[in-house]
Amino acid sequence: MPSFRPLSRIASAFTTPLTPADYLRLVNPLSSARQLRAVVTAVQPETADSVTIRFRPGKGWNPHEAGQWARIGVEIDGVRQWRSYSLSTGAGQDPAITVTAMGTVSTALVRGTRVGDVLFLAPPEGDFVLPEHPRPLLMLTAGSGLTPVMSMIRTLVPRRADADVVLVHSSRTPEEALFAEELLELADQFPGFRLVQWFTGERGRRLDLTTTSDLDAACPDWRDRASYACGPVDFLDAAESLWNREEGELRVERFAPVVAPGSGGEGGRITFEKTDKEVEADGSTTLLDAGENAGVLMSSGCRMGICHACVTPLLAGQVRDTRTGEVHGEPGHLIQTCVSTAAGPVSLDV
Ligand SMILES: Cc1cc2nc3c(=O)[nH]c(=O)nc-3n(C[C@H](O)[C@H](O)[C@H](O)COP(=O)(O)OP(=O)(O)OC[C@H]3O[C@@H](n4cnc5c(N)ncnc54)[C@H](O)[C@@H]3O)c2cc1C
């Protein structure tokens, strides 16, 4: 496993003369003119592979709206890596993220985070939020896709007598289901909240969203509800197709980028000019992944083309947008490296 060294644990590793910002950090790890930070206040196991990490942000943080997400940065093997995580607590509550171990950063967060650690972060963003006016709602989630919806449920259900929310949540087994006990309690306590847990292991099949029959059984009036969905790519693709066919109202939050069919291009040699590195990349490897794999210090954020934290000037060549398949680029253009692949030789100002 890569070594995860939150900021508070690397203070002793400074060997060169400290800058004023470094001294400030050693006195108060949340103080920095340059980078928003937070101190971890609790780490609570949720399932065998997921934890909720509560944190107290420093100056510059804005309270989150239910359903929003934040970029979280951690140092792994000396490189600061950024990923996006939905804030799972309700609006007005102290922020927390609920992370499921899956790859590099999530596994480091789940297995390595301790109370007192310091995380890098950016203020909350996103428009996967509750409707402005109360409406009957259907929440359709699978796996870790429950996290932004949990924030909405925690915000709405205990606080509004007129709440009318149905949650259909799919997970493999009861042991893998996030927030299971709390959801059962909420369903017991509040008549305006109904819970349908769909355990694929027990039912022997997945929730079928290619036809309306599973939804009709789980939530007969689903067509009359404002619907929200969050989960794996195929789950969301099926939900979007169904709602398009039925002309219903559906908001979707994706954790991974949409990839246009056949968008993999020719690839090419990528030159990272400032770092003085060159790598050969195929048409399905993003410029960001290619750079990181080669040890280039790349800016990154959501890794799905929504936050623009990764934009980098293109010096030469053209790139392919993995979401649309479109090939584009002129010298000087800003390129989103997380959703671009090389379309022939490319040179980047990084
Ligand atoms: C807006 C937003 C909100 C998010 N909220 C959460 C959250 O609340 N909890 C959480 O655990 N993760 C969340 N994610 C996903 C998170 O940002 C990381 O992508 C995830 O933790 C994997 O990162 P990694 O470094 O561990 O894996 P990597 O080593 O970067 O990649 C692992 C692989 O898993 C794929 N992948 C990423 N997420 C998923 C997923 N959910 N299901 C299936 N495959 C996936 C990636 O595309 C990649 O191919 C969110 C992502 C976005 C964009």
Coordinates of all heavy atoms in Angstrom, one line a residue, residues 151-227:
S151 N -26.9 13.0 2.8 CA -26.9 14.4 3.3 C -28.3 15.0 3.1 O -28.8 15.7 4.0 CB -25.8 15.1 2.5 OG -25.9 16.5 2.8
M152 N -28.9 14.8 2.0 CA -30.2 15.3 1.7 C -31.3 14.8 2.7 O -32.1 15.5 3.3 CB -30.7 15.0 0.3 CG -29.8 15.7 -0.7 SD -30.5 15.3 -2.4 CE -29.2 15.8 -3.4
I153 N -31.2 13.4 2.9 CA -32.2 12.8 3.8 C -32.0 13.3 5.3 O -32.9 13.6 6.0 CB -32.0 11.3 3.8 CG1 -32.5 10.8 2.4 CG2 -32.7 10.5 4.9 CD1 -32.2 9.3 2.1
R154 N -30.7 13.4 5.7 CA -30.4 14.0 7.0 C -30.9 15.4 7.2 O -31.3 15.8 8.3 CB -28.9 13.9 7.3 CG -28.5 12.5 7.6 CD -27.0 12.4 7.7 NE -26.5 11.1 8.3 CZ -25.4 10.6 8.0 NH1 -24.5 11.1 7.2 NH2 -25.0 9.4 8.6
T155 N -30.9 16.1 6.1 CA -31.3 17.5 6.2 C -32.8 17.7 6.2 O -33.4 18.5 6.9 CB -30.8 18.3 4.9 OG1 -29.3 18.1 4.9 CG2 -31.1 19.8 4.9
L156 N -33.5 16.8 5.4 CA -34.9 17.0 5.2 C -35.8 16.2 6.1 O -36.7 16.8 6.8 CB -35.2 16.5 3.7 CG -36.4 17.0 3.0 CD1 -36.4 18.5 2.9 CD2 -36.5 16.4 1.6
V157 N -35.5 15.0 6.3 CA -36.5 14.1 6.9 C -36.7 14.4 8.4 O -37.9 14.6 8.8 CB -36.0 12.6 6.8 CG1 -36.9 11.7 7.6 CG2 -36.1 12.2 5.3
P158 N -35.7 14.6 9.2 CA -36.0 14.9 10.6 C -36.5 16.4 10.9 O -37.1 16.7 11.9 CB -34.7 14.8 11.4 CG -33.7 14.3 10.3 CD -34.3 14.6 9.0
R159 N -36.3 17.2 9.9 CA -36.6 18.6 10.1 C -37.9 19.1 9.5 O -38.4 20.2 9.9 CB -35.5 19.5 9.5 CG -34.1 19.2 10.2 CD -33.1 20.2 9.7 NE -31.8 19.7 9.9 CZ -30.7 20.2 9.3 NH1 -30.8 21.2 8.6 NH2 -29.5 19.6 9.6
R160 N -38.5 18.4 8.5 CA -39.6 18.9 7.8 C -40.8 17.9 8.0 O -40.7 16.8 7.5 CB -39.3 19.2 6.4 CG -38.3 20.3 6.2 CD -38.5 21.1 5.0 NE -39.8 21.5 4.7 CZ -40.1 22.7 4.2 NH1 -39.1 23.6 4.0 NH2 -41.3 23.0 3.9
A161 N -41.9 18.4 8.6 CA -43.0 17.6 8.8 C -43.7 17.2 7.4 O -44.3 16.1 7.3 CB -44.0 18.3 9.7
D162 N -43.5 18.0 6.4 CA -44.1 17.8 5.1 C -43.2 17.0 4.2 O -43.4 16.8 3.0 CB -44.5 19.1 4.4 CG -43.3 20.0 4.2 OD1 -42.2 19.7 4.7 OD2 -43.5 21.0 3.5
A163 N -42.0 16.4 4.7 CA -41.1 15.7 3.9 C -41.8 14.4 3.3 O -42.6 13.8 4.1 CB -39.9 15.3 4.7
D164 N -41.6 14.1 2.1 CA -42.1 12.9 1.5 C -41.0 12.3 0.6 O -40.8 12.7 -0.6 CB -43.4 13.3 0.6 CG -44.0 12.1 -0.1 OD1 -43.4 11.0 0.0 OD2 -45.0 12.3 -0.8
V165 N -40.3 11.4 1.2 CA -39.1 10.9 0.5 C -39.1 9.4 0.4 O -39.3 8.7 1.5 CB -37.8 11.3 1.2 CG1 -36.5 10.8 0.5 CG2 -37.7 12.8 1.4
V166 N -38.9 8.8 -0.7 CA -38.7 7.3 -0.9 C -37.2 7.1 -1.3 O -36.8 7.7 -2.3 CB -39.6 6.7 -1.9 CG1 -39.4 5.2 -2.1 CG2 -41.1 7.0 -1.5
L167 N -36.5 6.3 -0.6 CA -35.1 5.9 -0.9 C -35.1 4.5 -1.4 O -35.5 3.6 -0.6 CB -34.2 6.1 0.2 CG -32.8 5.5 0.1 CD1 -32.0 6.2 -1.0 CD2 -32.0 5.5 1.4
V168 N -34.7 4.2 -2.6 CA -34.4 2.9 -3.1 C -32.9 2.7 -3.2 O -32.3 3.4 -4.1 CB -35.1 2.6 -4.5 CG1 -34.8 1.2 -4.9 CG2 -36.6 2.9 -4.4
H169 N -32.3 1.9 -2.3 CA -30.9 1.8 -2.3 C -30.5 0.4 -2.6 O -30.9 -0.5 -2.0 CB -30.3 2.3 -0.9 CG -28.8 2.1 -0.9 ND1 -28.0 2.8 -1.7 CD2 -28.1 1.3 -0.1 CE1 -26.7 2.5 -1.4 NE2 -26.8 1.6 -0.4
S170 N -29.5 0.3 -3.5 CA -29.1 -1.0 -3.9 C -27.6 -1.3 -3.4 O -26.8 -0.4 -3.6 CB -29.1 -1.1 -5.5 OG -28.4 -2.3 -5.9
S171 N -27.4 -2.4 -2.8 CA -26.1 -2.8 -2.4 C -26.0 -4.4 -2.5 O -27.1 -5.0 -2.6 CB -25.7 -2.3 -1.0 OG -26.8 -2.5 -0.1
R172 N -24.8 -4.9 -2.4 CA -24.7 -6.4 -2.6 C -25.3 -7.1 -1.4 O -26.1 -8.0 -1.6 CB -23.3 -6.8 -2.8 CG -23.0 -7.0 -4.3 CD -21.6 -7.4 -4.5 NE -20.7 -6.2 -4.2 CZ -19.5 -6.1 -4.6 NH1 -19.0 -6.9 -5.4 NH2 -18.8 -5.0 -4.2
T173 N -24.9 -6.7 -0.2 CA -25.3 -7.5 1.0 C -25.7 -6.4 2.1 O -25.3 -5.3 2.0 CB -24.2 -8.3 1.6 OG1 -23.1 -7.4 1.9 CG2 -23.7 -9.3 0.6
P174 N -26.5 -6.8 3.1 CA -26.8 -5.9 4.2 C -25.5 -5.4 4.9 O -25.4 -4.2 5.3 CB -27.6 -6.8 5.2 CG -28.1 -7.9 4.4 CD -27.2 -8.1 3.3
E175 N -24.4 -6.2 4.9 CA -23.2 -5.8 5.5 C -22.5 -4.7 4.8 O -21.8 -3.9 5.3 CB -22.2 -7.0 5.6 CG -22.6 -8.1 6.6 CD -23.7 -8.9 6.0 OE1 -23.8 -9.2 4.8 OE2 -24.6 -9.3 6.8
E176 N -22.7 -4.6 3.4 CA -22.1 -3.6 2.6 C -22.9 -2.3 2.5 O -22.5 -1.4 1.9 CB -21.9 -4.2 1.2 CG -20.7 -5.1 1.1 CD -20.5 -5.7 -0.3 OE1 -20.6 -5.0 -1.2 OE2 -20.3 -6.9 -0.3
A177 N -24.2 -2.4 3.1 CA -25.0 -1.2 2.9 C -24.6 -0.1 3.9 O -24.5 -0.3 5.1 CB -26.5 -1.6 3.2
L178 N -24.4 1.1 3.3 CA -24.0 2.2 4.1 C -25.2 2.7 5.0 O -26.3 2.7 4.5 CB -23.5 3.4 3.2 CG -22.1 3.3 2.6 CD1 -22.0 4.4 1.5 CD2 -21.0 3.3 3.6
F179 N -24.9 3.3 6.1 CA -25.8 4.0 7.0 C -27.1 3.1 7.3 O -28.2 3.7 7.5 CB -26.3 5.3 6.3 CG -25.1 6.1 5.8 CD1 -25.1 6.4 4.4 CD2 -24.1 6.5 6.6 CE1 -24.0 7.2 3.9 CE2 -23.0 7.3 6.1 CZ -23.0 7.6 4.7
A180 N -27.0 1.8 7.2 CA -28.2 1.0 7.2 C -29.0 1.2 8.5 O -30.3 1.3 8.4 CB -27.8 -0.5 7.1
E181 N -28.4 1.2 9.7 CA -29.1 1.3 10.9 C -29.8 2.7 11.0 O -31.0 2.8 11.4 CB -28.1 1.2 12.1 CG -28.5 0.1 13.1 CD -27.3 -0.1 14.0 OE1 -27.2 0.7 14.9 OE2 -26.6 -1.1 13.8
E182 N -29.1 3.7 10.7 CA -29.7 5.1 10.8 C -30.9 5.2 9.8 O -31.9 5.8 10.2 CB -28.6 6.1 10.4 CG -29.1 7.5 10.6 CD -28.0 8.6 10.2 OE1 -26.8 8.2 10.1 OE2 -28.4 9.7 10.0
L183 N -30.8 4.6 8.7 CA -31.9 4.7 7.7 C -33.1 4.0 8.2 O -34.2 4.5 8.1 CB -31.5 4.1 6.3 CG -30.5 5.0 5.5 CD1 -29.9 4.3 4.4 CD2 -31.2 6.3 5.1
L184 N -32.9 2.8 8.8 CA -34.0 2.0 9.4 C -34.7 2.8 10.5 O -35.9 2.9 10.6 CB -33.5 0.7 10.0 CG -33.4 -0.4 9.0 CD1 -32.8 -1.7 9.7 CD2 -34.7 -0.8 8.4
E185 N -33.9 3.5 11.4 CA -34.4 4.3 12.4 C -35.2 5.5 11.9 O -36.3 5.8 12.4 CB -33.3 4.8 13.3 CG -33.0 3.9 14.5 CD -31.7 4.4 15.2 OE1 -31.5 5.6 15.4 OE2 -31.0 3.4 15.6
L186 N -34.7 6.1 10.9 CA -35.4 7.3 10.3 C -36.7 6.8 9.7 O -37.8 7.4 9.9 CB -34.6 7.9 9.2 CG -33.4 8.8 9.7 CD1 -32.5 9.2 8.5 CD2 -33.9 10.0 10.4
A187 N -36.7 5.6 9.0 CA -38.0 5.1 8.4 C -39.0 4.7 9.5 O -40.2 4.9 9.3 CB -37.6 3.9 7.5
D188 N -38.5 4.3 10.7 CA -39.3 3.9 11.8 C -40.0 5.1 12.4 O -41.1 5.1 12.8 CB -38.5 3.3 12.9 CG -38.7 1.8 13.0 OD1 -39.4 1.3 12.1 OD2 -38.3 1.2 14.0
Q189 N -39.2 6.2 12.5 CA -39.6 7.4 13.2 C -40.4 8.4 12.4 O -41.2 9.0 13.0 CB -38.2 8.1 13.7 CG -38.2 8.6 15.1 CD -36.9 9.2 15.3 OE1 -35.8 8.7 14.9 NE2 -36.9 10.3 16.0
F190 N -40.1 8.5 11.1 CA -40.7 9.5 10.3 C -41.6 8.9 9.2 O -41.1 8.3 8.3 CB -39.7 10.4 9.7 CG -38.9 11.1 10.7 CD1 -37.6 10.7 11.1 CD2 -39.4 12.3 11.4 CE1 -36.9 11.3 12.1 CE2 -38.6 12.9 12.4 CZ -37.4 12.4 12.7
P191 N -42.9 9.1 9.3 CA -43.8 8.5 8.3 C -43.5 9.1 6.9 O -43.9 8.4 5.9 CB -45.2 8.9 8.7 CG -45.1 9.8 9.9 CD -43.6 9.8 10.3
G192 N -42.9 10.2 6.8 CA -42.6 10.8 5.5 C -41.4 10.2 4.8 O -41.0 10.7 3.7
F193 N -40.8 9.2 5.4 CA -39.6 8.6 4.8 C -39.8 7.1 4.6 O -40.1 6.4 5.6 CB -38.4 8.9 5.6 CG -37.1 8.2 5.1 CD1 -36.7 8.5 3.8 CD2 -36.4 7.3 5.9 CE1 -35.5 7.9 3.4 CE2 -35.3 6.7 5.4 CZ -34.8 7.0 4.1
R194 N -39.7 6.6 3.4 CA -39.8 5.2 3.2 C -38.5 4.6 2.6 O -38.0 5.3 1.7 CB -41.0 4.9 2.2 CG -41.5 3.4 2.3 CD -42.9 3.3 1.8 NE -43.0 3.6 0.3 CZ -42.6 2.7 -0.6 NH1 -42.2 1.5 -0.2 NH2 -42.8 2.9 -1.8
L195 N -38.1 3.5 3.1 CA -36.8 2.9 2.7 C -37.0 1.6 2.0 O -37.7 0.7 2.5 CB -36.0 2.7 3.9 CG -34.7 1.9 3.8 CD1 -33.7 2.6 2.9 CD2 -34.1 1.6 5.2
V196 N -36.5 1.4 0.8 CA -36.5 0.1 0.1 C -35.0 -0.3 -0.1 O -34.3 0.4 -0.9 CB -37.2 0.2 -1.3 CG1 -37.2 -1.2 -2.0 CG2 -38.6 0.7 -1.1
Q197 N -34.6 -1.3 0.7 CA -33.2 -1.8 0.5 C -33.2 -2.9 -0.5 O -34.0 -3.9 -0.3 CB -32.6 -2.3 1.8 CG -32.3 -1.2 2.9 CD -30.9 -0.6 2.7 OE1 -30.4 -0.6 1.6 NE2 -30.4 0.0 3.7
W198 N -32.4 -2.8 -1.6 CA -32.4 -3.8 -2.6 C -31.0 -4.5 -2.5 O -30.0 -3.9 -2.9 CB -32.6 -3.2 -4.0 CG -32.6 -4.2 -5.1 CD1 -31.6 -4.9 -5.6 CD2 -33.8 -4.6 -5.8 NE1 -32.1 -5.8 -6.5 CE2 -33.4 -5.6 -6.7 CE3 -35.1 -4.2 -5.8 CZ2 -34.3 -6.2 -7.6 CZ3 -36.0 -4.8 -6.7 CH2 -35.6 -5.8 -7.6
F199 N -31.0 -5.7 -1.9 CA -29.8 -6.4 -1.8 C -29.6 -7.4 -2.9 O -30.4 -8.4 -3.0 CB -29.7 -7.2 -0.4 CG -29.8 -6.2 0.8 CD1 -30.9 -6.4 1.7 CD2 -28.9 -5.2 0.9 CE1 -30.9 -5.5 2.8 CE2 -29.0 -4.4 2.0 CZ -30.0 -4.5 2.9
T200 N -28.7 -7.1 -3.8 CA -28.6 -7.9 -5.0 C -28.3 -9.4 -4.7 O -28.7 -10.3 -5.4 CB -27.6 -7.4 -6.0 OG1 -26.4 -7.2 -5.3 CG2 -28.0 -6.0 -6.6
G201 N -27.5 -9.6 -3.6 CA -27.1 -10.9 -3.2 C -28.3 -11.8 -2.8 O -28.5 -12.9 -3.3
E202 N -29.2 -11.2 -2.0 CA -30.4 -11.9 -1.6 C -31.4 -12.1 -2.7 O -32.0 -13.1 -2.8 CB -31.1 -11.1 -0.4 CG -30.4 -11.2 0.9 CD -31.0 -10.4 2.0 OE1 -32.1 -9.8 1.8 OE2 -30.4 -10.3 3.0
R203 N -31.6 -11.1 -3.5 CA -32.6 -11.2 -4.6 C -32.1 -12.0 -5.8 O -32.9 -12.4 -6.6 CB -33.0 -9.8 -5.1 CG -33.7 -9.0 -3.9 CD -34.4 -7.8 -4.5 NE -34.8 -6.9 -3.5 CZ -36.0 -6.4 -3.4 NH1 -37.0 -6.7 -4.2 NH2 -36.3 -5.5 -2.4
G204 N -30.8 -12.1 -5.8 CA -30.2 -12.9 -6.9 C -30.2 -12.1 -8.2 O -29.8 -12.7 -9.3
R205 N -30.5 -10.9 -8.2 CA -30.3 -10.0 -9.4 C -30.3 -8.6 -9.0 O -30.6 -8.2 -7.9 CB -31.5 -10.3 -10.4 CG -32.8 -9.8 -9.9 CD -33.9 -10.1 -10.9 NE -35.2 -9.6 -10.4 CZ -35.7 -8.4 -10.6 NH1 -34.9 -7.4 -11.2 NH2 -36.8 -8.0 -10.1
R206 N -29.8 -7.8 -10.0 CA -29.7 -6.3 -9.7 C -31.0 -5.7 -10.0 O -32.0 -6.2 -10.6 CB -28.7 -5.7 -10.7 CG -27.3 -6.3 -10.5 CD -26.4 -6.0 -11.6 NE -25.7 -4.8 -11.5 CZ -24.9 -4.3 -12.3 NH1 -24.7 -4.9 -13.5 NH2 -24.2 -3.2 -12.1
L207 N -31.2 -4.5 -9.4 CA -32.4 -3.6 -9.7 C -32.4 -3.4 -11.2 O -31.4 -2.8 -11.8 CB -32.2 -2.3 -8.9 CG -33.3 -1.3 -9.0 CD1 -34.6 -1.8 -8.3 CD2 -32.9 0.0 -8.3
D208 N -33.5 -3.8 -11.8 CA -33.5 -3.6 -13.3 C -34.1 -2.3 -13.7 O -35.3 -2.1 -13.5 CB -34.4 -4.8 -13.9 CG -34.4 -4.8 -15.4 OD1 -33.7 -4.0 -16.0 OD2 -35.2 -5.6 -16.0
L209 N -33.3 -1.5 -14.3 CA -33.8 -0.1 -14.7 C -34.0 -0.1 -16.2 O -34.2 1.0 -16.8 CB -32.9 1.0 -14.2 CG -32.8 1.1 -12.7 CD1 -31.7 2.2 -12.3 CD2 -34.1 1.5 -12.1
T210 N -34.0 -1.2 -16.9 CA -34.2 -1.2 -18.3 C -35.7 -1.2 -18.6 O -36.2 -0.9 -19.7 CB -33.5 -2.4 -19.0 OG1 -34.1 -3.6 -18.5 CG2 -32.0 -2.4 -18.9
T211 N -36.5 -1.7 -17.6 CA -38.0 -1.6 -17.7 C -38.5 -0.9 -16.5 O -37.8 -0.6 -15.5 CB -38.6 -3.0 -17.8 OG1 -38.6 -3.6 -16.5 CG2 -37.9 -3.9 -18.8
T212 N -39.8 -0.6 -16.4 CA -40.3 0.1 -15.3 C -40.8 -0.8 -14.1 O -41.2 -0.4 -13.1 CB -41.5 1.0 -15.7 OG1 -42.5 0.1 -16.2 CG2 -41.1 2.0 -16.7
S213 N -40.7 -2.2 -14.4 CA -41.4 -3.0 -13.4 C -40.9 -3.0 -12.0 O -41.6 -3.0 -11.0 CB -41.5 -4.5 -13.9 OG -40.2 -4.9 -14.3
D214 N -39.5 -3.0 -11.8 CA -39.0 -2.9 -10.5 C -39.3 -1.6 -9.8 O -39.6 -1.6 -8.6 CB -37.4 -3.1 -10.5 CG -37.0 -4.5 -10.6 OD1 -37.9 -5.4 -10.5 OD2 -35.8 -4.8 -10.9
L215 N -39.3 -0.5 -10.5 CA -39.6 0.8 -9.9 C -41.1 0.8 -9.6 O -41.5 1.3 -8.5 CB -39.3 1.9 -10.9 CG -37.9 2.5 -10.9 CD1 -37.8 3.5 -12.0 CD2 -37.6 3.0 -9.5
D216 N -42.0 0.3 -10.5 CA -43.4 0.3 -10.2 C -43.7 -0.4 -8.9 O -44.5 0.0 -8.1 CB -44.2 -0.4 -11.3 CG -44.2 0.4 -12.6 OD1 -44.0 1.7 -12.5 OD2 -44.4 -0.1 -13.7
A217 N -42.9 -1.5 -8.6 CA -43.1 -2.3 -7.4 C -42.6 -1.6 -6.2 O -43.2 -1.5 -5.1 CB -42.5 -3.7 -7.5
A218 N -41.4 -0.9 -6.3 CA -40.7 -0.3 -5.2 C -41.4 1.0 -4.8 O -41.5 1.4 -3.7 CB -39.3 -0.1 -5.5
C219 N -41.9 1.7 -5.8 CA -42.4 3.1 -5.6 C -43.4 3.4 -6.7 O -43.1 4.0 -7.7 CB -41.2 4.1 -5.7 SG -41.7 5.8 -5.4
P220 N -44.7 2.9 -6.5 CA -45.7 3.0 -7.5 C -45.9 4.4 -8.1 O -46.2 4.5 -9.3 CB -47.0 2.5 -6.9 CG -46.5 1.6 -5.7 CD -45.2 2.2 -5.3
D221 N -45.7 5.4 -7.3 CA -46.0 6.8 -7.8 C -44.7 7.5 -8.3 O -44.6 8.7 -8.2 CB -46.7 7.7 -6.8 CG -45.9 7.9 -5.5 OD1 -44.8 7.2 -5.4 OD2 -46.3 8.7 -4.7
W222 N -43.7 6.7 -8.7 CA -42.4 7.3 -9.0 C -42.4 8.4 -10.1 O -41.6 9.3 -10.1 CB -41.3 6.2 -9.3 CG -41.6 5.4 -10.6 CD1 -42.4 4.3 -10.7 CD2 -41.1 5.7 -11.9 NE1 -42.4 3.9 -12.0 CE2 -41.6 4.7 -12.8 CE3 -40.3 6.7 -12.5 CZ2 -41.3 4.7 -14.1 CZ3 -40.0 6.7 -13.8 CH2 -40.5 5.7 -14.6
R223 N -43.4 8.2 -11.0 CA -43.4 9.2 -12.1 C -43.8 10.6 -11.6 O -43.6 11.6 -12.2 CB -44.5 8.8 -13.1 CG -44.0 7.6 -14.0 CD -45.1 7.2 -15.0 NE -44.7 6.0 -15.8 CZ -44.7 4.8 -15.3 NH1 -45.2 4.6 -14.1 NH2 -44.4 3.8 -16.1
D224 N -44.5 10.6 -10.4 CA -45.0 11.9 -9.9 C -43.9 12.6 -9.0 O -44.2 13.6 -8.4 CB -46.3 11.7 -9.1 CG -47.3 11.1 -9.9 OD1 -47.3 11.3 -11.1 OD2 -48.1 10.2 -9.3
R225 N -42.8 12.0 -8.8 CA -41.8 12.5 -7.9 C -40.6 13.1 -8.6 O -40.3 12.7 -9.7 CB -41.2 11.3 -7.0 CG -42.3 10.8 -6.1 CD -41.8 9.6 -5.3 NE -42.9 9.2 -4.4 CZ -43.0 9.6 -3.1 NH1 -42.0 10.3 -2.6 NH2 -44.0 9.3 -2.4
A226 N -40.0 14.1 -8.0 CA -38.7 14.6 -8.5 C -37.7 13.6 -8.1 O -37.6 13.2 -6.9 CB -38.4 16.0 -7.8
S227 N -36.9 13.1 -9.0 CA -36.0 12.0 -8.7 C -34.6 12.4 -8.8 O -34.2 13.2 -9.6 CB -36.3 10.8 -9.7 OG -37.6 10.4 -9.6

